[in-house]
Amino acid sequence: MPTRSIASRPLWMERPKIPVTVTKAITLFVVAAVMLFPFLYVLAVSVSSQGDLNGSTVSLIPKHPTLEAYRQILRNGAVIRSIEVSIGITVVGTLFSMIMTTTLAYGLTRTRDVPGSRLVLLLALGTLLFSAGIIPNYLLVRYLGLLNSYASLIVPGMISAFNLVVVRQFFMNIPEEMLDSARVDGAGTVRIFWYMVLPLSKAVLAVIALFYGVGLWSDFFNALLYLNDPGKWPVQLVLRLFVLQGQSLGSADPTQQSGQPLPPPQTVQMAVVIIATLPIIIVYPFLQKYFTQGVLSGAIKG
Amino acid sequence: MARTFCRSSEGRIPRMTSVVRSESTPLGPESPTATSAELPRPRRKSLWSRVWYERGMYLFIIPGFLFFVVFRYIPLLGNVVAFQDYSPFLGVLHSQWIGLQNFVNLVTNPDVVTAIENTLIINGLQIIFFFPAPIALALLLNSILSQTVKRVIQTVVYLPYFIGWVVLVSVWQSVLGGDGLLNQTLTSHGMGPINLMSNPDLFKPMMVLQYIWKYVGWGTIIFLAAISKVDPALYESAAMDGAGSLRRMWHITLPGIRGITILLLILNLGNILTTGFEQILLQEPAVGADAGQVLDTFVYFEGIVGGQWGLAAAVGLVKGVVGSILVISANKIAHMMGEAGVF
């Protein structure tokens, strides 16, 4: 037992019993394994060679690891294109969402002073309670002429009321005296927002950006709804077509593939899964420490 | 809108005068109307000069305000197609009004009945099996003394929350599906294959399992926070009185998180007609509409795929109205039970 854990034990707490500790450890290990195992398995399949797969079960450490499946994907124009689309939508969409959310959140911090801002806040909060449903939203996007455009994936979801509340709560916790001193020095609203409020809120902004980014990256339904042209599809829709509906990819260059032995499609499928998950896995560890803080500053006060 | 501006500015004035009154008449409470009539009103700038003074702030408010009006409130008006024989070529303005015919068709449509049943069953299973899971996990995590172990476990259990449904279903498919890991193992041990992912009888339990897998870790955040707000002195005095760790959990921790539990339960009840739309849309084709159709997928397949706009909009409208009523009444009940509720 490391001494640290004993030191953190409150004096009144009895010494942990061995059977209890072991039970807890086993439970936690099982929970963690259930969470992680599927991803590790998918990763293993994606780097397995044909021989590994034919020999019944894939073990978590493939005997003959190969990147052939990934090479196959990198040669496939449709998958590459969809990845580019997803990256573009995620980056641009997150940027727009952040601008819209932070500006509105700041605008709603002083509801006592700014006439009408309380009404806007109530309008925004109302959307947490009710929403219009799929059909009216679809009709609106059609009337605005956004069908089949990337804007339809970004614009209708620019502000989430939940994220707005979180950011606003964070802004309101910035001491008013700091902002007042800037005001006395002659800084205008825009200047205060840019040079004081935003830099002080980096933690919450990181979390909100992650939420928007993950949402945009993982979204397939809006793309399914609004993009009729398969050439514009983001990677999640290609994944759905390829893995869940089992269709072969409309390869950009079929002649190139026919000449050489193909890796089993399952490895390619799993490679697409890994690629579609990769950005989240990369960003996740950097932002993880902010989660609790960011989520709770809006959800529970005090 | 102008009226609301006035109301909010009037709302401030009594508060200002009451401050003045308590300073000038420290001897006791008086009727507020009498005092505010006697005292000179504090000098207030007029509404428009206040608006002009804060003009910079409106730069920040107006884009977001327009966003909510256009993309969240105008679609509410779009629900009128529920009362129309809507045709995309004629548009909302020129389509034929047919009164409540869509709602009549809705009641007599057997698919709607199936969809409602499926929605309620899946949600019922979720409330029974999913809802307690994050509480249990939070209690377990809270009882871990080592901060390092706690952090590592949290990192791992939060992860599936950030994985989109397409990836999640693909991953499950590769483990439990037709030629997935489970079946390979079963066949290599001489057992017949069972496909868990496309079996209509198992569809609903699978939905709940996937839901638990994705959300259980994330759900613990709020309970862990609630647990950390419980006063440690309570635990200490309970321990002095001889309560073991299980008794302390039962008599201190659980009552301590009662409020937040009820609040989340209310939110769940309000969404009882909404259930994992993307999750089911992805998997419904594999098991068929009888097992998998829920209200949201009905709206999508009938309306946008099938062109029955009016009927689908009617289903969406009923669903939205019933959902709002449920949240509001559940909130009332929580208030009657002496809890804070959502609003």
Side-chain angles (χ1 to χ4, degrees):
Chain A
M1 280 278 112
T3 44
R4 256 216 341 242
S5 67
I6 290 170
S8 69
R9 184 167 64 94
L11 281 174
W12 46 264
M13 195 183 272
E14 49 289 271
R15 188 168 285 279
K17 299 182 191 74
I18 302 290
V20 175
T21 314
V22 170
T23 315
K24 279 182 191 169
I26 292 174
T27 315
L28 286 175
F29 179 77
V30 168
V31 169
V34 166
M35 296 289 166
L36 275 185
F37 173 76
F39 291 111
L40 297 178
Y41 173 70
V42 167
L43 184 66
V45 172
S46 78
V47 296
S48 292
S49 65
Q50 182 127 37
D52 290 346
L53 278 184
N54 288 344
S56 72
T57 328
V58 176
S59 62
L60 280 186
I61 300 151
K63 291 182 198 78
H64 313 285
T66 165
L67 290 177
E68 183 52 34
Y70 292 90
R71 235 174 264 138
Q72 180 98 1
I73 288 170
L74 291 179
R75 278 201 299 264
N76 188 307
V79 178
I80 297 293
R81 169 99 191 110
S82 71
I83 293 169
E84 287 167 3
V85 167
S86 281
I87 292 175
I89 289 170
T90 305
V91 171
V92 176
T94 307
L95 199 66
F96 271 91
S97 285
M98 292 305 287
I99 294 171
M100 292 291 284
T101 307
T102 51
T103 50
L104 183 61
Y106 180 62
L108 299 181
T109 45
R110 302 204 336 271
T111 40
R112 288 162 131 263
D113 306 323
V114 185
S117 60
R118 177 163 291 277
L119 176 73
V120 178
L121 180 63
L122 289 178
L123 277 182
L125 292 180
T127 62
L128 288 171
L129 266 188
F130 50 82
S131 62
I134 300 163
I135 301 284
N137 282 321
Y138 179 83
L139 293 178
L140 177 74
V141 168
R142 234 184 52 160
Y143 271 94
L144 294 175
L146 296 178
L147 273 195
N148 226 2
S149 77
Y150 294 132
S152 65
L153 309 186
I154 293 171
V155 176
M158 275 193 300
I159 307 180
S160 120
F162 179 78
N163 290 349
L164 178 77
V165 172
V166 172
V167 177
R168 174 176 177 268
Q169 194 63 42
F170 201 93
F171 286 172
M172 287 178 68
N173 288 341
I174 297 174
E176 189 61 30
E177 294 79 20
M178 281 174 72
L179 305 182
D180 275 340
S181 70
R183 238 166 250 139
V184 169
D185 290 343
T189 313
V190 179
R191 225 168 229 278
I192 291 174
F193 175 67
W194 187 255
Y195 287 105
M196 304 203 63
V197 175
L198 286 189
L200 287 170
S201 315
K202 273 182 195 141
V204 77
L205 297 184
V207 175
I208 301 301
L210 175 76
F211 285 167
Y212 280 126
V214 167
L216 286 158
W217 179 264
S218 307
D219 173 62
F220 79 97
F221 179 63
N222 285 322
L224 181 68
L225 202 54
Y226 300 134
L227 299 184
N228 306 319
D229 175 8
K232 292 186 169 179
W233 279 0
V235 67
Q236 305 285 343
L237 264 191
V238 170
L239 188 66
R240 167 176 174 268
L241 192 73
F242 185 46
V243 179
L244 296 180
Q245 302 184 345
Q247 294 190 21
S248 66
L249 280 178
S251 164
D253 197 356
T255 50
Q256 204 183 11
Q257 290 183 350
S258 57
Q260 48 195 289
L262 299 176
Q266 205 193 352
T267 62
V268 184
Q269 287 182 343
M270 292 308 109
V272 180
V273 173
I274 293 293
I275 288 180
T277 319
L278 208 57
I280 291 166
I281 306 283
I282 292 172
V283 178
Y284 180 76
F286 296 103
L287 295 168
Q288 202 248 339
K289 58 180 172 179
Y290 297 124
F291 287 163
T292 318
Q293 190 190 357
V295 174
L296 293 177
S297 63
I300 307 183
K301 282 163 218 154
Chain B
M1 202 189 295
R3 195 165 10 126
T4 321
F5 284 170
C6 296
R7 213 195 308 146
S8 65
S9 66
E10 278 167 13
R12 287 174 53 81
I13 291 168
R15 220 181 296 146
M16 300 289 290
T17 48
S18 71
V19 172
V20 174
R21 176 168 53 96
S22 62
E23 281 168 358
S24 59
T25 55
L27 289 178
E30 288 174 50
S31 141
T33 47
T35 34
S36 60
E38 286 158 22
L39 288 167
R41 295 180 133 231
R43 268 159 55 86
R44 284 297 283 165
K45 289 188 208 145
S46 79
L47 176 63
W48 290 114
S49 71
R50 283 204 297 145
V51 170
W52 181 247
Y53 180 75
E54 297 287 358
R55 60 191 179 278
M57 286 300 264
Y58 289 105
L59 281 180
F60 286 83
I61 295 172
I62 285 168
F65 170 68
L66 291 178
F67 170 84
F68 276 104
V69 170
V70 173
F71 288 100
R72 295 289 180 269
Y73 283 88
I74 287 179
L76 289 178
L77 300 177
N79 274 315
V80 294
V81 300
F83 303 95
Q84 288 183 331
D85 181 17
Y86 178 79
S87 151
F89 306 104
L90 297 173
V92 174
L93 294 178
H94 300 104
S95 286
Q96 199 192 345
W97 292 89
I98 54 168
L100 296 175
Q101 188 58 46
N102 282 326
F103 294 90
V104 174
N105 295 347
L106 182 161
V107 179
T108 54
N109 189 328
D111 290 350
V112 174
V113 179
T114 313
I116 291 177
E117 274 176 20
N118 285 338
T119 312
L120 290 178
I121 293 173
I122 292 176
N123 262 320
L125 289 173
Q126 249 166 35
I127 287 177
I128 297 169
F129 292 102
F130 170 74
F131 192 77
I135 303 178
L137 187 56
L139 290 172
L140 180 58
L141 280 172
N142 185 57
S143 73
I144 304 296
L145 290 174
S146 157
Q147 289 303 308
T148 324
V149 172
K150 200 171 155 184
R151 247 201 318 274
V152 170
I153 298 286
Q154 274 179 305
T155 307
V156 172
V157 295
Y158 291 168
L159 187 62
Y161 176 81
F162 290 94
I163 306 298
W165 278 113
V166 186
V167 171
L168 193 149
V169 174
S170 302
V171 169
W172 276 59
Q173 185 79 41
S174 78
V175 177
L176 300 179
D179 49 356
L181 176 65
L182 179 71
N183 277 325
Q184 285 173 4
T185 317
L186 283 180
T187 25
S188 70
H189 288 77
M191 279 175 278
I194 41 163
N195 191 343
L196 298 175
M197 296 294 283
S198 60
N199 185 339
D201 297 331
L202 293 176
F203 180 73
K204 293 181 182 75
M206 290 305 280
M207 292 295 100
V208 178
L209 281 180
Q210 288 168 1
Y211 196 86
I212 294 176
W213 193 74
K214 186 164 160 73
Y215 290 115
V216 69
W218 194 249
T220 59
I221 285 190
I222 205 150
F223 290 109
L224 282 173
I227 291 173
S228 73
K229 292 219 163 60
V230 177
D231 186 358
L234 289 176
Y235 290 111
E236 193 173 343
S237 52
M240 294 300 159
D241 290 347
S245 56
L246 276 181
R247 291 206 75 118
R248 290 199 297 267
M249 182 190 89
W250 185 254
H251 291 292
I252 298 171
T253 316
L254 286 180
I257 59 175
R258 201 177 107 116
I260 191 79
T261 309
I262 287 179
L263 192 141
L264 291 177
L265 202 53
I266 290 174
L267 289 175
N268 273 322
L269 287 176
N271 286 329
I272 197 136
L273 294 182
T274 308
T275 192
F277 174 45
E278 298 200 335
Q279 179 192 10
I280 289 169
L281 186 65
L282 286 167
Q283 300 175 74
E284 195 192 315
V287 293
D290 277 346
Q293 184 95 290
V294 293
L295 283 171
D296 282 328
T297 55
F298 179 85
V299 172
Y300 173 74
F301 284 118
E302 287 299 309
I304 286 166
V305 179
Q308 297 233 44
W309 299 89
L311 180 66
V315 173
L317 183 58
V318 170
K319 182 178 154 277
V321 170
V322 171
S324 302
I325 293 173
L326 281 176
V327 182
I328 292 165
S329 18
N331 197 49
K332 273 252 159 59
I333 295 170
H335 280 304
M336 283 193 291
M337 288 166 62
E339 295 293 336
V342 186
F343 42 88

